Amino acid sequence: MSEQQPSAPPERLTGRLKLVLVVLLVAQFMLAVDFSILNVALPAIGKGLGFSLGNLQWIATSFALAAAGFTLLFGRIADLVGRRRLFLIGLAVLGAASLLGGLAVNPETLLIARVAQGLATAAVTPAGLSLLTSSFPEGPLRSKALGLNGALMSAGFTTGAVLSGVLTDLLSWRWSFLINVPVVLAVLSIAPTVISESRADDANRGDDESHGDVRARLDLPGALAVTVGLLSLVYGLTMAGEHGFGDPKALVGLILGVVLLVVFYFVEKGVPQPLVPVRILRRRSVIFGNLAGLLAFVTETSLVFLMTLYLQKVLGFSPLAAGLSFGVLGLGTVVGGVAAARVIGGIGTTPTLVTGGLVQAVATVALVGLGDSRSSMWLLLIATFVGGVGNMLVIVGFMVTATSGLPDAEQGMATGMATMSQQAGITMGTPIMSAVVTAHVGGSADPDVILAGVSVAVLVNALVVVAGVIMAALFLRTPRTPTRGIASEPREDLARGTVESDAADNLRP
C-alpha cells in the first residue's frame, strides 16, 4: 500500500520533535495549573464579586463539571475533525475565557468564564495528548514523552496552589485568570508551524472533509449518555463532599450517573460507529489501565486537600505558607516523571504501576503519624515527596498502558478515555475525602477533632492506593517487550492486529 509513509520512526528526539514536545507540554502544564490556581483565591474572589459563601464552591465545580463531562466526546471529535485543529480552537477559547474571567464584574460572568475554561480544557487535553502519542512512536520515545507530560501535569496541579497564593497576595485574584492569556498567545503563535495535523484514518469511511459526514459518524446517543452520565456523577460527588453521601441531591446524581453509563455501554453495542468500540471497552489494558489512573488521580489530588486542611486548620499555616509546602510534592512528581521511562524500560509497565503504587501507599500511611505540632513538618515533607515519586510512576504507567497497542486512528479516543479518567479523578478525589472528614468531624472547629478526621481520611486514601495496586497486579499483564516491538511493526499490522495481539488480555463478554 502506498500509505506506508511513516516507515522508520525516529529512535531519538530530533530538533523538531523537541519543539513539538515543548509546545504540547507547556499547554498541558497550563491546563493542570488551571485546576488548582483558584483554590487559595476563592475567598478573595467571593469578596470582590459578591459571591455568597454557599455559592463560592461553584467557581471550582462549574469548571470541573465541564472539564470532566465533555472530555470523551471531544477526544472522539479530535479523531474526526483533526487533533491539531481542535487543539488550537480549544486554546483560543481558553484564552478568551481567561480574559473574560479576569475582567469579570459579577458572579454570572465569572461562572460563564469558568464553564468556558472547562470546555476548553476538555477539548485541549485529549487533543494535545493524542498529538503527543501520535507524534512519538510507541516505545522509549513515547514513554519518555508521557513521563515528562505526567510530571509537568502533576507539578502543574501543585504549582497552581502555590501560584494562587502568590498572585492573590502580591497582585490580585484576577491574575489567576489573566496569566493564561500570554501563554495561550505564545503557544498559538508557535504550534501551527511545528505540529502536523493528525486525525483518524478514514480511508474506508469516505470523505473525511465533509462536515455532514463527520456529524453522521459522531454517535450522538452515546455521546449524550456518557456526557450527561459523567456530569451527574461529578455533581453527585460534589454534593456528597459538601453534605455527605446521604444527601438526596448527591444520591440522585450518583444513581443517575451510574444508570447513564450503563446505558452508554449498551448504546455502544448497538451503533455501527460507536464513540468507544465495545471491543476496546473489553480490553484489560483499557479498563484496568484507566481504573488505575483514576485511582492515582483520586488519591494524590485529594491528599493535597487533606494536607491543606491539616496545615491550615491544625497547624495554623497561612494559605500562602500551606501552598508553598507543596513545592516538595511537586518536586517528587517531577523526579518520578523523569525516572518513569527508565523504570518502564527496565521492569515493564505493570511492575512499574505496582511498584509506584506500593511506594505511594507506604508514604501515605506514614502521614497517619502527623501530630498537632509543627515538628511533624519533616514527616509531611518527606512523605509527600516520596509519595509524589510513587504516584507519578503509576500515572505514567497508566498513560502508557491505556494508549499502547492501538492504531493512530484510535489514539484520540484512547487519550480521550485516559484524559477522562484523569479529569474525573482530579474532580472526584476532594469531594470523596471531604465527605470522609465531614463524617468524623461534623461541624467541629477543634484542631484535635480535625486532626483525627484527617488521619482517618488519610488511611482511607492509602487503602484506595492499595486497592489499585492489587487490581493492577491481578488484571494487567506485562507485555513481553515493554519498550520495543509494536513501534517497529507496520501500521497496517498494528491496526489489524490490535485485538489479535491482545487476545489474551481481553475480557470475555
Side-chain angles (χ1 to χ4, degrees):
M1 296 194 178
S2 59
E3 264 200 3
Q4 202 117 344
Q5 243 169 329
S7 46
E11 296 192 2
R12 55 179 58 244
L13 286 175
T14 62
R16 181 185 163 279
L17 280 180
K18 286 179 182 177
L19 199 51
V20 170
L21 186 60
V22 168
V23 169
L24 293 175
L25 291 184
V26 167
Q28 298 287 16
F29 180 77
M30 176 180 62
L31 295 172
V33 167
D34 278 350
F35 261 98
S36 56
I37 196 169
L38 293 184
N39 287 355
V40 176
L42 285 178
I45 295 172
K47 186 177 179 182
L49 294 184
F51 274 91
S52 68
L53 191 61
N55 288 330
L56 205 57
Q57 60 153 328
W58 285 103
I59 297 174
T61 302
S62 59
F63 174 87
L65 283 169
F70 289 87
T71 298
L72 190 58
L73 173 60
F74 281 129
R76 186 56 184 152
I77 290 175
D79 276 342
L80 298 174
V81 306
R83 293 152 188 166
R84 187 184 73 165
R85 181 184 298 176
L86 190 66
F87 178 76
L88 296 176
I89 291 172
L91 278 176
V93 172
L94 179 66
S98 298
L99 183 61
L100 179 65
L103 300 176
V105 294
N106 54 53
E108 293 77 17
T109 304
L110 190 91
L111 290 177
I112 290 170
R114 285 299 276 167
V115 170
Q117 279 188 319
L119 290 172
T121 299
V124 174
T125 306
L129 191 55
S130 58
L131 285 170
L132 196 70
T133 56
S134 58
S135 298
F136 294 86
E138 194 168 323
L141 278 187
R142 184 182 291 182
S143 294
K144 181 182 288 188
L146 288 174
L148 291 171
N149 179 74
L152 284 179
M153 191 171 56
S154 195
F157 187 82
T158 52
T159 300
V162 176
L163 202 56
S164 179
V166 172
L167 291 174
T168 303
D169 277 10
L170 300 183
L171 296 171
S172 160
W173 62 263
R174 295 183 182 277
W175 282 98
S176 296
F177 286 93
L178 296 175
I179 195 172
N180 282 341
V181 177
V183 180
V184 166
L185 290 175
V187 174
L188 284 176
S189 65
I190 299 171
T193 62
V194 299
I195 299 176
S196 303
E197 184 57 281
S198 166
R199 69 182 69 196
D201 181 8
D202 285 334
N204 60 346
R205 298 189 199 172
D207 180 17
D208 191 50
E209 298 298 322
S210 164
H211 182 67
D213 200 26
V214 169
R215 190 148 52 185
R217 290 197 301 270
L218 199 51
D219 178 22
L220 291 178
L224 186 65
V226 72
T227 301
V228 178
L230 288 170
L231 288 172
S232 299
L233 270 182
V234 173
Y235 176 78
L237 286 167
T238 303
M239 291 297 101
E242 288 289 313
H243 310 292
F245 283 99
D247 180 69
K249 291 181 181 177
L251 288 173
V252 169
L254 292 171
I255 292 170
L256 180 62
V258 171
V259 169
L260 285 172
L261 291 180
V262 172
V263 169
F264 168 68
Y265 176 80
F266 285 104
V267 167
E268 299 307 275
K269 288 180 72 173
V271 294
Q273 294 169 353
L275 193 67
V276 182
V278 172
R279 63 176 175 78
I280 289 176
L281 290 174
R282 288 175 179 163
R283 291 184 57 179
R284 287 179 185 267
S285 61
V286 171
I287 293 176
F288 295 110
N290 278 284
L291 275 175
L294 177 74
L295 296 180
F297 280 104
V298 163
T299 52
E300 196 65 11
T301 55
S302 63
L303 192 67
V304 172
F305 162 74
L306 294 174
M307 292 302 99
T308 300
L309 204 58
Y310 170 74
L311 290 169
Q312 293 190 36
K313 300 295 186 182
V314 178
L315 298 188
F317 277 36
S318 69
L320 179 57
L324 290 172
S325 301
F326 292 115
V328 174
L329 170 62
L331 182 61
T333 60
V334 171
V335 171
V338 171
R342 289 178 181 269
V343 177
I344 290 172
I347 65 176
T349 309
T350 300
T352 299
L353 275 166
V354 172
T355 302
L358 289 173
V359 170
Q360 183 187 347
V362 171
T364 304
V365 167
L367 292 170
V368 176
L370 291 172
D372 58 1
S373 71
R374 297 194 177 192
S375 61
S376 293
M377 278 302 296
W378 67 269
L379 174 59
L380 185 146
L381 294 176
I382 292 173
T384 52
F385 174 82
V386 174
V389 174
N391 178 256
M392 190 46 55
L393 292 177
V394 177
I395 288 174
V396 177
F398 135 68
M399 287 290 187
V400 172
T401 301
T403 59
S404 293
L406 292 171
D408 280 352
E410 293 175 346
Q411 281 300 319
M413 179 271 301
T415 54
M417 290 188 68
T419 307
M420 180 187 71
S421 301
Q422 166 195 321
Q423 311 279 42
I426 291 173
T427 305
M428 290 163 55
T430 298
I432 290 172
M433 293 304 158
S434 176
V436 174
V437 173
T438 302
H440 286 77
V441 172
S444 175
D446 186 339
D448 291 334
V449 176
I450 293 173
L451 176 59
V454 168
S455 297
V456 171
V458 165
L459 194 57
V460 171
N461 190 294
L463 290 174
V464 173
V465 176
V466 172
V469 169
I470 294 171
M471 180 193 68
L474 290 178
F475 299 111
L476 288 174
R477 295 171 188 167
T478 308
R480 295 180 190 84
T481 51
T483 60
R484 295 193 309 276
I486 298 177
S488 61
E489 292 174 12
R491 281 284 174 207
E492 303 138 43
D493 291 347
L494 210 170
R496 189 186 65 245
T498 297
V499 185
E500 292 177 319
S501 62
D502 288 297
D505 289 340
N506 287 355
L507 292 177
R508 303 301 175 212

